[in-house]
Amino acid sequence: MKVKKKSLQKFTESENKIKAVLKLKKITWEDLKPLTKKELNLLSEVLKPLVNNSKGVERDKLFKKIDAVTNEETKNETWEHNHIKITWAISTLMQELNRMPSKRELADKTGLSRQTINKHLKEYHTHPLYEGQIEQFKFMRSNVLSRVYFFALQGDMKAAKLYFDILGTNTLLVNNTSIQNQNNFIQINNTLINQENIKLLNPEQLNSIEDILKTTISSNRLQNEILQNTTEISHHSSR
């Protein structure tokens, strides 16, 4: 019985020490020095549900209380937790409301305080973890480029243009002739043709270019028609 009484007394003493620490406005390492290893573990077990279940301003007060004794890894986990929650809330509310949500709506959705949300939105882009996320996206860009290249090979000209834009060039090789399109000019081999050059051409030169283009387009159209008719004849013959 005496052993039980001593154990109970010891446990009560530990509880009182932990309660005294939790009543502090800010907890420092000096405040934790009187605690034994078991008491420190017990304090940690008490703090876990408090952190997980706290919301809004109360959550801010709790984090401020334990900030000095919180290690960097835990702080990073908290930042990531907040970032994921805020990102999810913005995405979800924009779909529900068809507009950008207010800070109050974000606070209600995430359980975070408006102060925490404001601070995170203002400072997230300078946080080392965010910079790390950007590096992850950069790391994956070669996979995206591979997919663009695949679609370009399938004949998707938009994908081909995007592929060359990403690589910093719009150069294509057609029948051993280099044709470069930079949106505001066309380069055929070493000859540059833009709107200013075209303005300098006389009517006869413009007519000559037009005739060449018409002849080429008509020829290609005729070839396509012949090919189509041949395919149809073969199809009917096979029947």
Side-chain angles (χ1 to χ4, degrees), residues 118-228:
N118 280 327
K119 187 174 186 297
H120 191 90
L121 291 176
K122 283 180 181 177
E123 300 174 4
Y124 78 92
H125 60 283
T126 60
H127 198 282
L129 288 181
Y130 177 75
E131 292 174 5
Q133 288 181 350
I134 296 300
E135 289 304 315
Q136 286 179 315
F137 279 115
K138 288 179 180 178
F139 182 79
M140 296 302 295
R141 62 188 170 189
S142 59
N143 285 15
V144 176
L145 186 58
S146 296
R147 294 297 297 167
V148 172
Y149 176 74
F150 171 80
F151 287 116
L153 288 182
Q154 305 305 309
D156 188 330
M157 295 311 295
K158 286 184 179 179
K161 184 179 183 304
L162 178 60
Y163 179 79
F164 286 115
D165 283 344
I166 293 169
L167 294 181
T169 175
N170 276 346
T171 303
L172 295 172
L173 196 64
V174 180
N175 296 329
N176 294 321
T177 300
S178 173
I179 299 177
Q180 189 176 54
N181 178 10
Q182 295 287 349
N183 297 325
N184 58 345
F185 69 84
I186 296 174
Q187 182 174 325
I188 302 176
N189 289 334
N190 294 322
T191 303
L192 189 71
I193 302 173
N194 57 25
Q195 195 169 1
E196 294 302 318
N197 297 141
I198 293 172
K199 286 179 181 179
L200 296 174
L201 298 176
N202 59 45
E204 187 179 343
Q205 291 170 323
L206 287 171
N207 288 333
S208 297
I209 293 172
E210 187 179 6
D211 288 339
I212 292 169
L213 291 173
K214 281 182 177 178
T215 303
T216 304
I217 292 169
S218 297
S219 177
N220 287 338
R221 190 176 294 161
L222 181 61
Q223 287 179 6
N224 289 334
E225 287 177 359
I226 292 170
L227 181 62
Q228 187 177 356

Side-chain angles (χ1 to χ4, degrees), residues 56-115:
V57 177
E58 290 303 316
R59 188 172 184 270
D60 290 348
K61 287 180 181 177
L62 180 58
F63 274 93
K64 192 174 181 181
K65 182 197 288 281
I66 63 174
D67 182 70
V69 293
T70 304
N71 60 40
E72 202 62 33
E73 185 180 351
T74 302
K75 288 180 180 180
N76 285 339
E77 287 175 359
T78 301
W79 185 92
E80 284 184 322
H81 172 80
N82 291 348
H83 189 74
I84 290 168
K85 268 199 164 187
I86 294 169
T87 303
W88 165 79
I90 292 173
S91 177
T92 303
L93 288 172
M94 282 187 73
Q95 292 180 58
E96 292 176 2
L97 306 172
N98 294 318
R99 60 171 172 79
M100 186 62 70
S102 67
K103 302 295 189 301
R104 166 51 62 195
E105 288 165 336
L106 288 175
D108 291 340
K109 195 76 170 174
T110 60
L112 304 174
S113 69
R114 281 187 293 180
Q115 185 180 356

